[in-house]
Amino acid sequence: MREFIVEADGGSRGNPGPAGYGSVVIDAATGETLAERAEYIGVATNNVAEYRGLVAGLRAARELDPSATVRVRMDSKLVVEQMSGRWKIKHPDMKPLAAEAARVLPAAQVTYEWIPRERNKHADRLANEAMDAGKRGEQWEASASRAGLGARVRETPAVPEPAAPPGDATAGAAKAREALTRSRPTPAASSAPTPPSAPTPSSAPATASAPAPSATEDASAVPVAPVADAAGGRAAGSGGEEDATKTRADRRAVRAVAAQAAVTVAGPAPDAGRAAEGGPGVTPSVGWGAAPDLGAPATFVLLRHGETPLTPQKRFSGSGGTDPSLSDVGREQAERVAAAFARRGTIQHILASPLARTRETAGAVAARLGLEVTVEDGLIETDFGAWEGLTFGEVRERHPEDLNAWLADPEAEPTGGGESFAATATRIAATRDRLVARYAGRTVLLVTHVTPIKTFVRLALGAPPESLFRMELSAASVSAVAYYADGNASVRLLNDTSHLRP
């Protein structure tokens, strides 16, 4: 019986946005490419494009030999886990696509495997070729494709796992960074690197040579991302016009941060769209040429909660665990930061995540300032699923495959169905937009967690996902971002801990 390998991918430049898929069928015995499929599918989401690529690849394999066994390999953890039956399919748009894929070949003939994106370059390039063709008003043509040139990576060594507890910035975290770097396409080949971060301690100093990535909430967590843009999506990772398109998309995402506030407070600015794209003859909306009378910005002062008992133990502590309160050290930190805010006297409103550690920290500040605390559900930390309460090393021992997937793909969820970094980014972007509109011209203290704070900062900078690995965020640290009525954002402060010093 013949055996085929089907590699499939899909991407959306906007999520939803112009989308396409790519699939390749390979002879498992010889490594020969037997068939390629790609198509521009109009406006769709990443997940829809990925499923469409899967269906096209399975159909191509069936056309070659309907009795062959097929190994499907994709870099979408979502599709692989759903088609393997390990994850439920909740989204109504995904259910018919999954059912269609399941009907192509008997289930006994098909298996599914997750692979890092660097091992899925052929399908990735096909998807980008299809999107490039769609942008030109054309459809993809196999005769013009160059996706297979140099794309075959037969057997890439497994991505090394971090070898030390979370927070070892000079050992385990450095190795994790090295592994993540190898799992990402190079800048020349891709404009959308996706891996989320690995753990870092709240207490370890940042180092220039090996900036510590982050994973656990109490040990400095975020994505990914991998969380890829303000909508939490990603485009397929390489080829053609994707680099420039993604760069423009990132810039637009930043400018959209306070778009709702601009409409609500001041109304749309004339020629705002042309200015955002740098059109000729238009006053720049950023830098020295910016209009001077935009009014006071909505300023978010971002306070990470104080330490909990889990912080020095470097355990995963998100929104799905035991919800620990502050430790004695954490309460002292909260009092110190409250005194600092009282001296400054600029905070007008206080919002807090619903978790105990943030409400307790916010309460200490509110008592000093004479303000009320409003609980904001959108500021809650990521849910780390079955990893809650475990150390990074314990997760590595118990769930190595899930951990590798999570480190490489912001759309991958922790074991047990926690929240992916991409989902976290979508939630934070929506919360940001709502609060910017509500508090235009005000200074608001947001008492929250590592993942939300780093996501606020990354989106404000319009920075790529890997910037998350280069941010240190200590317990009870203060950061600040200002959002203007023209849609621009300005990072004012990051990880200030001066108030904690004796």
Side-chain angles (χ1 to χ4, degrees):
M1 181 180 292
R2 298 183 71 184
E3 181 181 17
F4 297 145
I5 296 171
V6 170
E7 295 178 349
D9 198 12
S12 171
R13 296 171 181 175
N15 198 37
Y21 68 75
S23 306
V24 57
V25 182
I26 304 159
D27 188 308
T30 66
E32 178 187 0
T33 296
L34 303 177
E36 292 179 324
R37 298 288 186 271
E39 184 183 3
Y40 173 70
I41 61 174
V43 176
T45 65
N46 289 317
N47 294 145
V48 167
E50 289 165 345
Y51 264 109
R52 290 283 298 274
L54 169 63
V55 171
L58 290 173
R59 287 176 174 168
R62 184 181 62 186
E63 291 171 5
L64 291 168
D65 187 345
S67 65
T69 60
V70 176
R71 282 192 288 144
V72 175
R73 306 199 303 193
M74 299 180 68
D75 60 54
S76 171
K77 182 74 169 175
L78 175 77
V79 175
V80 168
E81 293 300 318
Q82 288 181 342
M83 292 303 299
S84 299
R86 292 186 289 269
W87 289 2
K88 292 182 179 180
I89 304 173
K90 301 177 183 178
H91 198 287
D93 291 345
M94 300 297 107
K95 291 181 179 179
L97 291 169
E100 183 179 0
R103 289 193 298 266
V104 176
L105 288 168
Q109 291 177 218
V110 185
T111 58
Y112 292 86
E113 174 189 356
W114 177 86
I115 57 174
R117 185 175 297 179
E118 69 171 6
R119 295 178 61 190
N120 203 26
K121 289 182 178 179
H122 195 157
D124 179 87
R125 290 175 181 175
L126 286 168
N128 274 290
E129 285 185 352
M131 286 185 281
D132 289 346
K135 185 175 181 180
R136 298 190 299 269
E138 304 169 356
Q139 273 294 351
W140 177 84
E141 294 183 5
S143 60
S145 176
R146 298 175 59 84
L149 297 179
R152 292 257 53 81
V153 180
R154 297 314 313 149
E155 288 300 332
T156 303
V159 176
E161 299 172 358
D168 187 348
T170 60
K175 292 184 179 180
R177 283 283 298 140
E178 180 183 3
L180 291 172
T181 300
R182 287 201 297 270
S183 72
R184 294 198 298 271
T186 62
S190 169
S191 63
T194 60
S197 47
T200 345
S202 60
S203 57
T207 62
S209 60
S214 57
T216 64
E217 194 286 328
D218 269 313
S220 299
V222 176
V224 131
V227 196
D229 59 21
R234 66 175 178 87
S238 63
E241 302 165 10
E242 172 63 2
D243 291 343
T245 301
K246 184 62 171 68
T247 299
R248 291 194 296 271
D250 282 344
R251 290 172 180 167
R252 285 195 297 273
V254 178
R255 295 186 181 103
V257 166
Q260 185 60 45
V263 173
T264 303
V265 178
D271 292 326
R274 289 197 300 123
E277 292 298 328
V282 179
T283 300
S285 60
V286 296
W288 298 109
D293 55 348
L294 296 175
T299 301
F300 291 174
V301 179
L302 307 167
L303 172 61
R304 186 191 170 193
H305 62 80
E307 282 190 15
T308 76
L310 299 184
T311 304
Q313 298 176 25
K314 302 182 179 70
R315 295 184 180 275
F316 281 88
S317 182
S319 58
T322 58
D323 192 14
S325 298
L326 298 180
S327 64
D328 290 341
V329 171
R331 282 188 285 273
E332 173 64 23
Q333 291 171 332
E335 291 298 332
R336 285 178 179 267
V337 73
F341 284 132
R343 289 191 296 272
R344 295 171 186 172
T346 56
I347 302 298
Q348 296 169 294
H349 307 275
I350 301 176
L351 279 65
S353 154
L355 298 182
R357 52 194 181 270
T358 44
R359 287 188 290 108
E360 190 174 352
T361 303
V365 179
R368 285 289 191 107
L369 302 184
L371 297 173
E372 297 292 327
V373 176
T374 300
V375 173
E376 170 55 58
D377 291 342
L379 298 175
I380 200 168
E381 179 58 289
T382 297
D383 181 350
F384 293 109
W387 302 349
E388 295 278 359
L390 301 180
T391 65
F392 191 70
E394 288 169 342
V395 173
R396 182 180 57 199
E397 292 174 0
R398 300 180 193 183
H399 310 286
E401 292 184 3
D402 288 348
L403 182 62
N404 281 342
W406 182 76
L407 287 172
D409 185 352
E411 296 183 1
E413 297 177 350
T415 306
E419 187 180 24
S420 72
F421 282 119
T424 301
T426 300
R427 168 169 58 83
I428 294 303
T431 301
R432 169 206 61 198
D433 293 344
R434 180 161 36 81
L435 297 182
V436 164
R438 182 188 304 168
Y439 295 105
R442 311 291 285 175
T443 298
V444 187
L445 177 65
L446 306 184
V447 186
T448 179
H449 310 264
V450 173
T451 309
I453 293 174
K454 286 191 176 182
T455 303
F456 274 116
V457 171
R458 187 186 76 80
L459 294 177
L461 291 171
E466 62 264 30
S467 63
L468 298 169
F469 309 143
R470 296 176 170 86
M471 286 187 257
E472 172 74 11
L473 208 63
S474 303
S477 64
V478 177
S479 304
V481 181
Y483 299 93
Y484 291 89
D486 66 347
N488 284 299
S490 173
V491 175
R492 301 280 183 89
L493 192 66
L494 180 66
N495 196 40
D496 177 20
T497 58
S498 59
H499 50 275
L500 302 179
R501 299 168 192 157

